[in-house]
Amino acid sequence: MIEPIELPEVEFSIQDGIFIKQMFMERAGIMVPQHSHSYAHSSMLAAGSVRVWRDGEMIGDFKAPIPIEIPAKCKHMIMRDRKSTRLNSSHMENL
């Protein structure tokens, strides 16, 4: 049986051609499922802490405030390990 995962609360905004995604994770264990993008981007861990995997390999535990670099076409997954975590990602809107 596959266990359901809890997804983060997400808000989106576009300002002057910049796409901004803000994720709020209130409880430990909330996951951002594995995914990839055609572009590199940085996710700013603004509050709390997370564990990050890139291409199936855990790259570490990060504590705010810190930017997390994600290379283009890299499969990545994020798991919150403390309460009240906020992660912000931004990139050009037309990518």
Side-chain angles (χ1 to χ4, degrees):
M1 182 173 161
I2 298 173
E3 280 191 43
I5 59 171
E6 187 174 355
L7 300 175
E9 178 184 333
V10 179
E11 291 181 358
F12 298 98
S13 174
I14 298 174
Q15 298 295 323
D16 294 327
I18 304 293
F19 173 84
I20 301 165
K21 177 172 64 176
Q22 203 168 197
M23 292 180 279
F24 301 95
M25 302 176 231
E26 287 300 319
R27 289 179 294 288
I30 291 178
M31 303 282 293
V32 176
Q34 180 171 282
H35 62 287
S36 64
H37 310 279
S38 61
Y39 49 85
H41 72 286
S42 180
S43 291
M44 183 64 194
L45 182 58
S49 61
V50 294
R51 177 166 286 171
V52 178
W53 290 261
R54 288 196 308 215
D55 290 328
E57 193 172 313
M58 197 213 15
I59 63 164
D61 295 320
F62 297 85
K63 202 172 201 181
I66 189 169
I68 302 168
E69 302 302 321
I70 306 295
K73 300 179 183 172
C74 173
K75 292 183 180 176
H76 54 288
M77 180 172 72
I78 300 166
M79 181 180 77
R80 182 190 158 264
D81 61 357
R82 293 191 183 182
K83 66 180 188 175
S84 299
T85 294
R86 189 175 78 229
L87 189 67
N88 302 310
S89 296
S90 59
H91 56 79
M92 298 302 292
E93 174 187 13
N94 59 356
L95 294 177

